[in-house]
Amino acid sequence: MKFILVTGGVISGIGKGIIASSVGTILKSCGLHVTAIKIDPYINIDAGTFSPYEHGEVFVLDDGGEVDLDLGNYERFLDIRLTRDNNLTTGKIYQSVITKERRGDYLGKTVQVVPHITDAIQEWVMRQARVPVDDDGVEPQVCVIELGGTVGDIESMPFIEAFRQFQFKVKRENFCNIHVSLIPQPSTTGEQKTKPTQNSIRELRGLGLSPDLIMCRCATPLDNSVKEKISMFCHVEPEQVICVHDVSSIYRVPLLLENQGVVSYFCHRLDLPIETRPRKMLTKWKEMSDRSDRLLEHCSIALVGKYTKFSDSYASVIKALEHSALAISHKLEVKYIDSADLEPGALQEEPVKYHEAWQKLCSADGILVPGGFGVRGTEGKIQAIQWARKQKKPFLGTNAPQGGRVNANSTEFEPETTHPVVIDMPEHNPGQMGGTMRLGKRRTIFKTKNSVLRRLYGDVDHVEERHRHRFEVNPELKQNFEDQGLHFVGQDVEGERMEVIELDAPDHPYFVGVQYHPEFTSRPIKPSPPYFGLLLASAGILHSFLQRGCRLSPRHDRRPGSSVWGRWFCSVTPQWYLGESGFESATF
């Protein structure tokens, strides 16, 4: 097993997650089995109780794990399925050590950060690194570990110490450290500054870790003189200084790393069994990136939500929209709308924001309303949904059941309401917030063949998608909804929970609501069907797509080298189908 530790310096949020994902991607393109672990030094057990404004969205895994959004990047880039234990937090480590202490596992010894906490970290990493994450069930050969935060943070000190010991335990030829640092470029001089990186490397070395690769995040490509300066003052070869400058698309980052010899370095440094044959997977990344840059037609989606001030709050939603837009050769424009600005009260309090919000909504090609917790902004969401229904705008709602009755309400907002359209699930524990929702992968059964979403999924009997909710549509009102033309075409296995609703109106292009989160399983070349349907309808081509048997027309099928790429078709998960050249597995 080879371990690659990714640390960060100077500031947080400079792209460690994308770089870790890209490193895994280029190694997987070489035929290796790769897994990933994200370490978050905060004391929370998991990300489940975070506000989206803290660390961005809460990503949900198949097993119901509520984890950091970087695990979503790992899954999308590497096309793997991770588990809750791939996200390690200080809270989880201390909880496990204290549980052992209460059981008497330490035989009366004094429990300390060193060695007990550091040993627990190393054991967790060693154990989780060997868990298969690919569909073939093969044990991974490489584990990419991202340590959140920045070097020097007091919260991350036990983890730094753990990996200082770990590098000797697994031997040098099996451990490599990538340090991601910022190269600021003040606008006053335009000069690329290396001093923050020098200080960060010095601090890392003082803690016992020496970086093998220094990946420099910068706005523009590094000058050779800057690279040589970093090399000289940080005690590495110039080839070990990698420039990761801003690019047009994150899909170009693996190509950027590969072009600077990262694979060759790993092959030598870690003695990896890598073949020298051309890597077909990266060729597809390049074709996809090039096509993304050449898109001419535009499609705008109004995202009506509660957390629109921070785009990472909807990271997977945005990626799912991008995947679907790329599939139909359209450039995506997302119009963020705070749902509270659509409410009648906003007209009196902040009329400018009110009119701007409605202008954005009315000018969009399609409308997306993702889920959210709490009463704030709920009325604005309902206003947007009603407008989409009446004005026949393509609409997709995820994880947000809403009612249409007079005086209808949710027990989440008004526990004593006399018209409970949305109710608590029986298993919900109102006294415990963390981990008490209906979480993880669940099966949805389609109850009718006459369903647009079923056709988009490939006319299957059932689908399995990830859930995260503690409220549901009141099943007693199912007939009331259907009498108004809203049909529950998908339900859970027991037939008790409403999972998919569609508006039965031939003149409406697309009006779909789902209880689950389809964005969590979307991939760059395997878009999520609900999002794909929204983009097709917003571009005005859903009807023709369905008429053609779930195929795009030649006018919209503008992928490069059509003789190679073949045709788009709709299956259980839509995917690119690579004609005669073959594409053994959609691995990104």
Side-chain angles (χ1 to χ4, degrees):
M1 172 67 71
K2 310 295 183 181
F3 298 91
I4 300 174
L5 174 66
V6 180
T7 56
V10 185
I11 62 172
S12 60
I14 56 174
K16 293 192 302 295
I18 296 298
I19 288 173
S21 302
S22 299
V23 167
T25 298
I26 59 179
L27 292 176
K28 188 165 185 176
S29 75
C30 299
L32 300 173
H33 285 79
V34 182
T35 187
I37 294 174
K38 173 66 188 297
I39 296 175
D40 287 304
Y42 46 67
I43 297 176
N44 303 64
I45 298 298
D46 58 30
T49 56
F50 278 143
S51 160
Y53 287 132
E54 287 289 312
H55 295 274
E57 75 169 3
V58 177
F59 191 81
V60 178
L61 303 170
D62 280 352
D63 65 353
E66 297 173 285
V67 297
D68 185 84
L69 62 83
D70 276 322
L71 275 80
N73 288 323
Y74 305 156
E75 287 203 341
R76 284 187 288 269
F77 271 68
L78 299 170
D79 197 20
I80 56 179
R81 299 282 178 140
L82 300 173
T83 66
R84 68 177 75 233
D85 287 342
N86 286 87
N87 192 193
L88 178 56
T89 69
T90 296
K92 285 182 179 179
I93 287 295
Y94 274 82
Q95 186 181 56
S96 67
V97 169
I98 291 171
T99 300
K100 288 181 180 180
E101 186 273 333
R102 293 288 85 187
R103 280 203 310 257
D105 290 4
Y106 297 115
L107 303 177
K109 291 184 179 295
T110 301
V111 180
Q112 298 174 288
V113 173
V114 181
H116 301 99
I117 295 297
T118 53
D119 284 352
I121 293 168
Q122 295 173 65
E123 290 165 7
W124 191 301
V125 170
M126 290 286 285
R127 181 178 65 251
Q128 194 59 30
R130 301 189 183 280
V131 175
V133 292
D134 289 299
D135 292 336
D136 58 13
V138 176
E139 183 177 301
Q141 299 162 280
V142 180
C143 178
V144 181
I145 307 160
E146 179 193 348
L147 176 57
T150 57
V151 170
D153 291 346
I154 192 169
E155 297 95 340
S156 62
M157 288 301 182
F159 295 99
I160 295 288
E161 172 59 22
F163 285 108
R164 186 194 67 77
Q165 300 172 20
F166 188 74
Q167 65 185 329
F168 301 112
K169 182 178 292 186
V170 299
K171 307 303 180 187
R172 185 178 188 277
E173 62 272 18
N174 296 320
F175 181 85
C176 179
N177 177 209
I178 297 173
H179 190 67
V180 183
S181 185
L182 176 68
I183 305 293
Q185 192 170 357
S187 58
T188 52
T189 63
E191 182 185 1
Q192 294 174 325
K193 298 293 186 179
T194 65
K195 191 64 70 177
T197 295
Q198 294 177 43
N199 292 336
S200 178
I201 297 295
R202 186 182 301 115
E203 185 162 14
L204 183 63
R205 287 182 183 279
L207 295 171
L209 288 173
S210 296
D212 297 280
L213 290 174
I214 301 174
M215 296 204 175
C216 302
R217 283 288 292 114
C218 43
T220 57
L222 281 182
D223 296 334
N224 286 334
S225 60
V226 175
K227 184 176 288 192
E228 290 170 1
K229 187 175 181 180
I230 294 172
S231 167
M232 180 172 63
F233 285 104
C234 297
H235 309 288
V236 295
E237 295 288 340
E239 294 74 22
Q240 294 171 260
V241 180
I242 307 298
C243 170
V244 188
H245 57 81
D246 294 348
V247 288
S248 58
S249 165
I250 60 171
Y251 306 133
R252 291 201 176 277
V253 179
L255 306 171
L256 193 63
L257 301 185
E258 205 267 350
N259 290 338
Q260 296 180 71
V262 170
V263 172
S264 300
Y265 179 81
F266 283 139
C267 187
H268 167 72
R269 173 69 175 75
L270 297 175
D271 192 26
L272 293 173
I274 294 176
E275 300 179 16
T276 57
R277 62 180 174 81
R279 290 179 281 279
K280 184 184 298 183
M281 177 182 164
L282 285 184
T283 301
K284 306 311 170 212
W285 275 88
K286 185 176 188 311
E287 289 175 343
M288 183 175 63
S289 300
D290 290 343
R291 192 164 62 87
S292 176
D293 291 342
R294 291 197 298 262
L295 297 176
L296 298 176
E297 294 185 85
H298 287 70
C299 185
S300 61
I301 300 295
L303 193 158
V304 182
K306 298 177 60 174
Y307 318 112
T308 53
K309 293 181 177 66
F310 186 36
S311 61
D312 272 357
S313 301
Y314 298 107
S316 292
V317 169
I318 300 304
K319 295 305 176 190
L321 290 171
E322 289 176 352
H323 300 163
S324 295
L326 185 60
I328 63 171
S329 299
H330 279 62
K331 199 171 192 65
L332 176 68
E333 178 191 359
V334 178
K335 299 184 176 186
Y336 293 95
I337 302 174
D338 189 325
S339 56
D341 292 339
L342 297 173
E343 297 178 356
L347 178 60
Q348 305 299 323
E349 297 171 6
E350 296 185 276
V352 174
K353 285 188 176 181
Y354 175 84
H355 289 295
E356 286 178 349
W358 276 102
Q359 192 277 331
K360 286 182 183 178
L361 187 74
C362 296
S363 61
D365 297 316
I367 297 172
L368 171 66
V369 179
F373 294 96
V375 68
R376 185 187 69 82
T378 301
E379 184 61 34
K381 289 184 177 184
I382 295 175
Q383 293 280 338
I385 296 169
Q386 288 179 341
W387 192 86
R389 178 174 58 83
K390 294 177 180 178
Q391 299 300 320
K392 300 179 175 53
K393 281 280 187 179
F395 165 78
L396 172 64
T398 63
N399 192 42
Q402 301 291 352
R405 298 179 61 184
V406 176
N407 297 324
N409 213 320
S410 166
T411 56
E412 179 182 8
F413 313 137
E414 190 178 332
E416 305 302 324
T417 179
T418 56
H419 298 284
V421 174
V422 180
I423 60 174
D424 289 55
M425 293 183 297
E427 62 267 41
H428 171 219
N429 177 4
Q432 183 81 17
M433 296 296 289
T436 60
M437 289 185 276
R438 184 170 179 247
L439 294 163
K441 185 170 69 173
R442 309 280 179 147
R443 178 167 292 188
T444 294
I445 309 295
F446 284 110
K447 296 297 184 179
T448 175
K449 290 186 177 294
N450 186 27
S451 162
V452 171
L453 198 56
R454 176 173 179 156
R455 294 176 67 183
L456 289 168
Y457 272 108
D459 202 25
V460 295
D461 294 328
H462 67 270
V463 294
E464 292 184 334
E465 295 279 10
R466 299 175 184 179
H467 293 65
R468 184 177 184 250
H469 63 105
R470 57 170 61 95
F471 294 88
E472 62 177 337
V473 173
N474 189 344
E476 295 180 3
L477 300 178
K478 176 176 178 289
Q479 193 57 49
N480 296 54
F481 278 97
E482 298 197 336
D483 289 343
Q484 300 298 318
L486 290 167
H487 291 273
F488 292 101
V489 299
Q491 299 175 22
D492 71 346
V493 176
E494 290 79 19
E496 297 174 354
R497 294 201 163 102
M498 306 300 111
E499 293 280 355
V500 182
I501 191 169
E502 291 182 8
L503 179 64
D504 185 14
D507 58 343
H508 200 291
Y510 189 75
F511 192 95
V512 173
V514 293
Q515 182 65 79
Y516 47 80
H517 287 270
E519 63 270 15
F520 291 148
T521 53
S522 184
R523 302 288 183 266
I525 58 167
K526 294 186 291 184
S528 164
Y531 284 90
F532 186 53
L534 175 65
L535 266 294
L536 285 168
S538 300
I541 55 176
L542 175 61
H543 180 72
S544 62
F545 177 80
L546 297 174
Q547 289 290 328
R548 288 172 174 270
C550 293
R551 298 184 191 128
L552 288 172
S553 67
R555 175 175 174 267
H556 294 95
D557 191 6
R558 294 177 178 172
R559 294 177 296 277
S562 57
S563 60
V564 177
W565 283 95
R567 61 185 176 84
W568 172 273
F569 73 104
C570 199
S571 63
V572 177
T573 4
Q575 58 187 320
W576 296 110
Y577 194 81
L578 292 189
E580 297 177 357
S581 66
F583 191 25
E584 295 79 13
S585 62
T587 46
F588 60 98

